[in-house]
Amino acid sequence: MLLAGGIATVRIPGQNLRSAVLHFAAGVVFAVVSAEFIPDLVHEHKIATTAIGFTLGTALMLTIRSWTSRAESAEKGQAGRLPSGFLMATGIDLAIDGLMLGIGFVAGAKEGILLTVALTIELLSLGIATTANLTGKRIPQRKTLIVLAGLSLLFVLSAVTGGLLSQAFTGVALAGLIAFGTAALLFLVTEELLTEAHEIEESPLLTATFFAGFLMIFLLEMLTK
Protein backbone atom coordinates (compact mmCIF):
# COMPACT_ATOMS: atom_id res chain seq x y z
CA MET A 1 0.00 0.00 0.00
CA LEU A 2 2.84 2.37 0.87
CA LEU A 3 4.72 1.47 -2.30
CA ALA A 4 1.76 1.99 -4.62
CA GLY A 5 0.64 5.13 -2.80
CA GLY A 6 4.16 6.58 -2.85
CA ILE A 7 4.45 6.03 -6.60
CA ALA A 8 0.98 7.47 -7.14
CA THR A 9 1.97 10.71 -5.34
CA VAL A 10 4.40 11.27 -8.22
CA ARG A 11 2.24 9.92 -11.03
CA ILE A 12 -1.23 8.45 -10.61
CA PRO A 13 -1.71 5.41 -12.90
CA GLY A 14 -4.31 5.63 -15.64
CA GLN A 15 -7.87 4.42 -15.14
CA ASN A 16 -7.39 1.35 -17.34
CA LEU A 17 -4.40 0.14 -15.31
CA ARG A 18 -6.22 0.70 -12.03
CA SER A 19 -9.30 -1.12 -13.32
CA ALA A 20 -7.12 -4.03 -14.44
CA VAL A 21 -5.52 -4.25 -10.98
CA LEU A 22 -8.97 -4.18 -9.34
CA HIS A 23 -10.27 -6.94 -11.63
CA PHE A 24 -7.18 -9.04 -10.97
CA ALA A 25 -7.41 -8.54 -7.21
CA ALA A 26 -11.11 -9.48 -7.26
CA GLY A 27 -10.31 -12.70 -9.11
CA VAL A 28 -7.54 -13.57 -6.66
CA VAL A 29 -9.67 -12.96 -3.55
CA PHE A 30 -12.61 -14.86 -5.04
CA ALA A 31 -10.33 -17.82 -5.84
CA VAL A 32 -8.98 -17.93 -2.27
CA VAL A 33 -12.51 -17.95 -0.87
CA SER A 34 -13.61 -20.65 -3.33
CA ALA A 35 -10.56 -22.89 -3.00
CA GLU A 36 -9.79 -22.55 0.71
CA PHE A 37 -12.50 -21.08 2.93
CA ILE A 38 -15.62 -22.68 1.44
CA PRO A 39 -14.16 -26.25 1.30
CA ASP A 40 -13.16 -25.88 4.98
CA LEU A 41 -16.74 -24.94 5.88
CA VAL A 42 -18.15 -27.84 3.88
CA HIS A 43 -15.71 -30.20 5.59
CA GLU A 44 -16.60 -28.92 9.08
CA HIS A 45 -20.32 -29.36 8.26
CA LYS A 46 -21.46 -26.98 11.00
CA ILE A 47 -24.62 -25.84 9.22
CA ALA A 48 -26.22 -23.62 11.86
CA THR A 49 -22.94 -22.00 12.89
CA THR A 50 -21.99 -21.37 9.27
CA ALA A 51 -25.35 -19.76 8.57
CA ILE A 52 -25.10 -17.50 11.63
CA GLY A 53 -21.50 -16.48 10.94
CA PHE A 54 -22.18 -15.77 7.27
CA THR A 55 -25.31 -13.77 8.09
CA LEU A 56 -23.50 -11.68 10.71
CA GLY A 57 -20.64 -10.99 8.32
CA THR A 58 -23.01 -9.86 5.59
CA ALA A 59 -25.06 -7.70 7.97
CA LEU A 60 -21.93 -6.01 9.34
CA MET A 61 -20.55 -5.21 5.89
CA LEU A 62 -23.91 -3.82 4.71
CA THR A 63 -24.17 -1.66 7.84
CA ILE A 64 -20.65 -0.32 7.39
CA ARG A 65 -21.32 0.39 3.70
CA SER A 66 -24.50 2.35 4.52
CA TRP A 67 -22.82 4.39 7.25
CA THR A 68 -19.66 5.26 5.32
CA SER A 69 -21.63 6.12 2.16
CA ARG A 70 -23.58 8.74 4.10
CA ALA A 71 -20.37 10.17 5.54
CA GLU A 72 -18.74 10.37 2.09
CA SER A 73 -21.82 12.06 0.58
CA ALA A 74 -21.81 14.72 3.31
CA GLU A 75 -18.18 15.64 2.51
CA LYS A 76 -18.47 15.70 -1.28
CA GLY A 77 -16.94 18.81 -2.86
CA GLN A 78 -14.88 19.84 0.19
CA ALA A 79 -11.26 20.59 -0.78
CA GLY A 80 -8.25 20.98 1.50
CA ARG A 81 -9.67 18.77 4.27
CA LEU A 82 -9.02 15.12 4.90
CA PRO A 83 -12.02 13.12 3.63
CA SER A 84 -12.96 11.51 6.95
CA GLY A 85 -15.78 9.46 5.42
CA PHE A 86 -13.53 7.95 2.77
CA LEU A 87 -10.70 7.34 5.24
CA MET A 88 -13.10 5.78 7.75
CA ALA A 89 -14.42 3.42 5.08
CA THR A 90 -10.86 2.58 4.00
CA GLY A 91 -9.77 2.00 7.61
CA ILE A 92 -12.69 -0.32 8.33
CA ASP A 93 -11.99 -2.19 5.09
CA LEU A 94 -8.34 -2.63 6.08
CA ALA A 95 -9.27 -3.73 9.61
CA ILE A 96 -11.63 -6.40 8.24
CA ASP A 97 -9.03 -7.53 5.68
CA GLY A 98 -6.38 -7.76 8.39
CA LEU A 99 -8.64 -9.83 10.62
CA MET A 100 -9.38 -12.14 7.70
CA LEU A 101 -5.66 -12.59 7.06
CA GLY A 102 -5.13 -13.57 10.69
CA ILE A 103 -8.05 -15.98 10.49
CA GLY A 104 -6.63 -17.40 7.25
CA PHE A 105 -3.34 -18.36 8.86
CA VAL A 106 -5.15 -20.01 11.75
CA ALA A 107 -7.32 -21.94 9.28
CA GLY A 108 -4.11 -23.18 7.63
CA ALA A 109 -0.67 -21.99 6.47
CA LYS A 110 -1.60 -22.41 2.80
CA GLU A 111 -4.81 -20.43 3.22
CA GLY A 112 -2.86 -17.66 4.91
CA ILE A 113 -0.20 -17.50 2.19
CA LEU A 114 -2.73 -17.44 -0.66
CA LEU A 115 -4.76 -14.79 1.14
CA THR A 116 -1.58 -12.76 1.62
CA VAL A 117 -1.04 -12.79 -2.15
CA ALA A 118 -4.65 -11.76 -2.74
CA LEU A 119 -4.67 -8.94 -0.20
CA THR A 120 -1.28 -7.65 -1.34
CA ILE A 121 -2.74 -7.05 -4.79
CA GLU A 122 -5.81 -5.44 -3.25
CA LEU A 123 -3.66 -3.13 -1.12
CA LEU A 124 -1.70 -2.01 -4.20
CA SER A 125 -4.99 -0.85 -5.69
CA LEU A 126 -6.14 0.66 -2.40
CA GLY A 127 -2.91 2.64 -2.08
CA ILE A 128 -3.46 4.13 -5.53
CA ALA A 129 -7.13 4.90 -4.79
CA THR A 130 -6.34 6.57 -1.45
CA THR A 131 -3.60 8.71 -2.97
CA ALA A 132 -5.83 9.72 -5.89
CA ASN A 133 -8.62 10.71 -3.51
CA LEU A 134 -6.34 12.77 -1.23
CA THR A 135 -4.61 14.40 -4.20
CA GLY A 136 -8.02 15.37 -5.57
CA LYS A 137 -8.77 17.01 -2.21
CA ARG A 138 -5.47 18.97 -2.49
CA ILE A 139 -3.92 17.25 0.51
CA PRO A 140 -0.10 17.82 0.66
CA GLN A 141 2.14 14.94 -0.38
CA ARG A 142 3.73 14.57 3.07
CA LYS A 143 0.34 14.39 4.77
CA THR A 144 -0.81 11.83 2.21
CA LEU A 145 2.17 9.58 2.98
CA ILE A 146 1.51 9.86 6.74
CA VAL A 147 -2.11 8.79 6.17
CA LEU A 148 -0.96 5.83 4.05
CA ALA A 149 1.51 4.79 6.76
CA GLY A 150 -1.22 4.95 9.41
CA LEU A 151 -3.62 2.88 7.32
CA SER A 152 -0.91 0.31 6.58
CA LEU A 153 -0.12 0.00 10.30
CA LEU A 154 -3.83 -0.53 11.00
CA PHE A 155 -3.84 -3.48 8.60
CA VAL A 156 -0.80 -5.06 10.29
CA LEU A 157 -2.26 -4.64 13.77
CA SER A 158 -5.60 -6.09 12.63
CA ALA A 159 -3.86 -9.12 11.13
CA VAL A 160 -2.01 -9.79 14.38
CA THR A 161 -5.25 -9.33 16.34
CA GLY A 162 -7.11 -11.69 14.03
CA GLY A 163 -4.44 -14.35 14.44
CA LEU A 164 -4.42 -14.06 18.23
CA LEU A 165 -8.21 -14.12 18.51
CA SER A 166 -8.56 -17.04 16.12
CA GLN A 167 -6.21 -19.19 18.18
CA ALA A 168 -8.77 -19.05 20.97
CA PHE A 169 -11.46 -20.46 18.68
CA THR A 170 -11.86 -24.16 17.90
CA GLY A 171 -14.51 -26.41 16.40
CA VAL A 172 -17.90 -24.75 16.10
CA ALA A 173 -16.62 -21.26 16.99
CA LEU A 174 -13.85 -21.43 14.37
CA ALA A 175 -16.35 -22.50 11.71
CA GLY A 176 -18.50 -19.48 12.55
CA LEU A 177 -15.47 -17.20 12.35
CA ILE A 178 -14.45 -18.58 8.95
CA ALA A 179 -18.05 -18.17 7.70
CA PHE A 180 -17.99 -14.56 8.92
CA GLY A 181 -14.73 -13.98 7.04
CA THR A 182 -16.08 -15.64 3.90
CA ALA A 183 -19.02 -13.23 3.79
CA ALA A 184 -16.74 -10.24 4.36
CA LEU A 185 -14.37 -11.27 1.56
CA LEU A 186 -17.21 -11.96 -0.89
CA PHE A 187 -18.60 -8.51 -0.08
CA LEU A 188 -15.16 -7.07 -0.78
CA VAL A 189 -15.11 -8.69 -4.22
CA THR A 190 -18.65 -7.91 -5.35
CA GLU A 191 -19.37 -4.55 -3.72
CA GLU A 192 -15.96 -2.89 -3.60
CA LEU A 193 -13.32 -4.22 -5.98
CA LEU A 194 -15.59 -5.01 -8.96
CA THR A 195 -17.83 -1.98 -8.34
CA GLU A 196 -14.82 0.34 -8.53
CA ALA A 197 -13.37 -1.59 -11.47
CA HIS A 198 -16.59 -1.03 -13.45
CA GLU A 199 -16.51 2.74 -13.02
CA ILE A 200 -14.83 2.97 -16.43
CA GLU A 201 -16.02 1.41 -19.69
CA GLU A 202 -15.48 -2.34 -19.65
CA SER A 203 -13.37 -4.12 -22.28
CA PRO A 204 -12.66 -7.81 -22.94
CA LEU A 205 -9.05 -7.36 -21.77
CA LEU A 206 -10.08 -5.80 -18.46
CA THR A 207 -12.66 -8.52 -17.86
CA ALA A 208 -10.06 -11.18 -18.64
CA THR A 209 -7.81 -9.93 -15.82
CA PHE A 210 -10.41 -11.13 -13.28
CA PHE A 211 -10.15 -14.67 -14.65
CA ALA A 212 -6.36 -14.41 -14.85
CA GLY A 213 -6.26 -13.65 -11.12
CA PHE A 214 -8.63 -16.52 -10.36
CA LEU A 215 -6.64 -18.94 -12.53
CA MET A 216 -3.33 -17.96 -10.90
CA ILE A 217 -4.58 -18.85 -7.40
CA PHE A 218 -6.42 -21.95 -8.66
CA LEU A 219 -3.22 -23.30 -10.27
CA LEU A 220 -1.20 -22.48 -7.14
CA GLU A 221 -3.76 -24.43 -5.14
CA MET A 222 -3.37 -27.44 -7.47
CA LEU A 223 0.43 -27.25 -7.37
CA THR A 224 0.52 -27.26 -3.57
CA LYS A 225 -1.75 -30.31 -3.20
Side-chain angles (χ1 to χ4, degrees), residues 83-212:
S84 58
F86 172 81
L87 293 179
M88 184 70 70
T90 302
I92 292 171
D93 182 18
L94 286 169
I96 295 293
D97 289 349
L99 288 172
M100 294 309 102
L101 183 59
I103 292 170
F105 273 105
V106 171
K110 187 171 65 175
E111 286 91 331
I113 291 171
L114 291 178
L115 196 55
T116 298
V117 173
L119 293 179
T120 296
I121 297 169
E122 184 212 339
L123 292 181
L124 286 172
S125 173
L126 198 55
I128 295 171
T130 302
T131 300
N133 189 291
L134 295 180
T135 300
K137 297 285 187 181
R138 301 176 187 172
I139 304 299
Q141 185 182 64
R142 182 182 176 187
K143 202 170 186 178
T144 296
L145 291 174
I146 291 174
V147 169
L148 287 170
L151 290 172
S152 300
L153 180 61
L154 173 63
F155 176 83
V156 173
L157 293 175
S158 297
V160 173
T161 302
L164 292 174
L165 289 176
S166 298
Q167 289 178 7
F169 289 81
T170 57
V172 173
L174 183 59
L177 198 59
I178 293 174
F180 178 91
T182 298
L185 289 172
L186 287 176
F187 189 94
L188 169 68
V189 171
T190 58
E191 295 300 317
E192 294 187 21
L193 296 176
L194 288 179
T195 299
E196 289 185 36
H198 292 157
E199 288 179 356
I200 70 168
E201 186 176 352
E202 196 75 0
S203 71
L205 182 60
L206 289 177
T207 302
T209 56
F210 171 88
F211 296 95

Side-chain angles (χ1 to χ4, degrees), residues 61-72 85 88-89 92:
M61 298 305 291
L62 288 171
T63 301
I64 291 171
R65 163 58 64 85
S66 175
W67 181 63
T68 54
S69 293
R70 288 198 298 270
E72 288 180 36
M88 184 70 70
I92 292 171

Side-chain angles (χ1 to χ4, degrees), residues 36-46 50:
E36 299 295 338
F37 282 76
I38 291 178
D40 284 349
L41 290 173
V42 173
H43 176 72
E44 289 294 331
H45 203 66
K46 303 291 193 301
T50 298

Side-chain angles (χ1 to χ4, degrees), residues 5-12 131 141:
I7 294 173
T9 58
V10 179
R11 182 178 180 183
I12 296 177
T131 300
Q141 185 182 64

